[in-house]
């Protein structure tokens, strides 16, 4: 019913030439993938070149961020129209690194989601708690604020065209992964929030990715969980074989 979406978030890694090389390897390695939606997110600088590589393949193009305005005096930023022109399919929004280093808030996430959707691209909305928040018993409160903030003013129809990435901040880039059970519990809670907002049908149709040190060794266990519908992959997406080592178990799942 819902798609398994596995996206590689390359962050601030790879020159343009290296990005083209990695994208070429991913396209080749993923050529027989039919069930999982595979996407890669190079830097802004490499998007146009990587777009040429993925064109006509089953690998989708993702951007790592966007600004909500159409154009203007926003030094360093890129608009949704610019991404659309290049052929971007998915836009990562609200990544914890954006939230913690660059002042992203639930309000800016919401503006970006709306802008991206207005151009028929799919937002990947990142949410997740810090270790301190989890230890303080604030996991559910934080996720509730983030989900309600991101979806504020979105219709059920718009909500259907979103993907969520649940990424516990303490698991990102640390090598520490949430256990299958910890991840499943958080995903089930997030799906419950979507049910409250939009009802069961919509909630059951939205893919919720897990992110945070996902790798070939732990992918099968995580992806087998009832409410885990893919992954947002950082470190392990920087090599084609480890990225495909996460896609392959997703491909063979019977759900
Ligand atoms: P990681 O990053 O896989 O390196 O933990 C995931 C992410 O930040 O999206």
């Amino acid at each position: 019913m819902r798609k398994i979406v596995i996206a590689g978030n390359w962050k601030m890694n790879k020159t343009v030439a290296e990005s083209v090389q990695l994208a070429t390897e991913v396209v080749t390695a993923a050529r027989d993938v039919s069930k999982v939606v595979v996407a890669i997110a190079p830097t802004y600088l490499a998007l146009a070149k990587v777009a040429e590589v993925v064109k006509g393949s089953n690998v989708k193009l993702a951007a790592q961020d966007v600004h909500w305005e159409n154009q203007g005096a926003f030094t360093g930023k890129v608009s949704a129209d610019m991404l659309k022109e290049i052929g971007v399919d998915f836009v990562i929004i609200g990544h914890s690194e954006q939230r913690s280093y660059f002042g992203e808030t639930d309000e800016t996430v919401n503006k970006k989601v709306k802008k991206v959707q207005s151009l028929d691209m799919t937002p990947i909305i990142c949410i997740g708690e810090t270790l301190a928040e989890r230890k303080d018993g604030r996991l559910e409160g934080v996720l509730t604020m983030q989900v309600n903030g991101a979806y504020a003013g979105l219709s059920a129809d718009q909500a259907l065209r979103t993907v969520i990435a649940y990424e516990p901040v303490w698991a990102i880039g640390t090598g520490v992964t949430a256990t299958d059970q910890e991840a499943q519990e958080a995903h089930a809670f997030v799906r419950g929030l979507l049910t409250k907002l939009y009802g069961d049908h919509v909630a059951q149709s939205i893919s919720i990715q897990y992110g945070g040190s996902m790798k070939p060794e732990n992918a099968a266990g995580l992806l087998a969980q009832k409410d885990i519908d893919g992954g947002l992959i950082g470190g392990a997406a920087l090599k084609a074989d480890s990225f495909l080592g996460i896609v392959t178990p997703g491909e063979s799942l019977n759900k």
Side-chain angles (χ1 to χ4, degrees), residues 9 11 95-97 167 171-175 211-214 232-236:
N9 173 13
K11 309 192 181 185
H95 191 278
S96 70
E97 287 146 21
E167 302 199 295
I172 296 178
T174 57
S213 298
M214 198 167 174
L232 185 57
I233 322 297

Side-chain angles (χ1 to χ4, degrees), residues 143 164-168 180-194 207-211 222 225-231:
L143 296 180
I164 291 183
Y166 166 67
E167 302 199 295
D180 297 347
Q181 196 190 340
E182 282 169 334
Q184 165 57 26
E185 277 169 16
H187 280 237
F189 180 75
V190 171
R191 203 174 302 287
L193 293 173
L194 294 170
S207 299
I208 307 178
Q209 301 174 312
Y210 170 80
L222 287 162
Q225 302 304 309
K226 182 168 161 281
D227 288 292
I228 300 184
D229 315 308

Side-chain angles (χ1 to χ4, degrees), residues 1-231:
M1 161 182 17
R2 42 182 194 261
K3 293 236 160 71
I4 297 174
V5 184
I6 299 184
N9 173 13
W10 295 359
K11 309 192 181 185
M12 198 175 73
N13 292 292
K14 308 280 175 191
T15 64
V16 176
E18 289 166 349
S19 300
V20 166
Q21 171 72 29
L22 177 56
T24 306
E25 289 170 14
V26 170
V27 164
T28 306
R31 64 182 177 275
D32 294 327
V33 173
S34 57
K35 208 165 136 195
V36 173
V37 177
V38 179
I40 51 178
T43 65
Y44 282 147
L45 199 61
L47 272 176
K49 284 281 186 201
V50 169
E52 291 169 18
V53 177
V54 301
K55 199 169 179 189
S57 79
N58 52 2
V59 176
K60 305 279 183 202
L61 190 61
Q64 296 179 18
D65 189 26
V66 66
H67 195 275
W68 59 88
E69 293 289 349
N70 291 334
Q71 59 190 37
F74 301 101
T75 302
K77 300 298 172 200
V78 165
S79 77
D81 307 73
M82 296 168 191
L83 299 179
K84 182 71 185 176
E85 185 194 41
I86 287 177
V88 166
D89 303 290
F90 292 95
V91 183
I92 298 168
I93 296 175
H95 191 278
S96 70
E97 287 146 21
Q98 284 289 332
R99 291 179 189 260
S100 60
Y101 306 143
F102 303 112
E104 184 95 275
T105 63
D106 292 330
E107 200 186 341
T108 58
V109 167
N110 181 248
K111 287 188 196 177
K112 291 176 178 182
V113 168
K114 287 175 176 159
K115 187 71 212 175
V116 159
Q117 282 215 319
S118 72
L119 293 169
D120 283 331
M121 295 181 288
T122 303
I124 296 178
I125 302 166
C126 302
I127 58 172
E129 82 290 357
T130 63
L131 190 56
E133 287 165 343
R134 179 174 273 260
K135 283 191 168 156
D136 286 357
R138 291 170 54 212
L139 168 66
E140 297 190 348
V142 168
L143 296 180
T144 303
M145 286 244 304
Q146 291 175 336
V147 168
N148 288 345
Y151 284 83
L154 259 69
S155 67
D157 186 48
Q158 286 173 304
L160 282 170
R161 295 182 288 113
T162 61
V163 169
I164 291 183
Y166 166 67
E167 302 199 295
V169 177
W170 45 273
I172 296 178
T174 57
V176 181
T177 320
T179 63
D180 297 347
Q181 196 190 340
E182 282 169 334
Q184 165 57 26
E185 277 169 16
H187 280 237
F189 180 75
V190 171
R191 203 174 302 287
L193 293 173
L194 294 170
T195 305
K196 278 190 202 136
L197 289 174
Y198 298 108
D200 201 43
H201 168 71
V202 172
Q204 290 299 332
S205 305
I206 297 176
S207 299
I208 307 178
Q209 301 174 312
Y210 170 80
S213 298
M214 198 167 174
K215 46 192 176 230
E217 298 75 43
N218 58 29
L222 287 162
L223 292 171
Q225 302 304 309
K226 182 168 161 281
D227 288 292
I228 300 184
D229 315 308

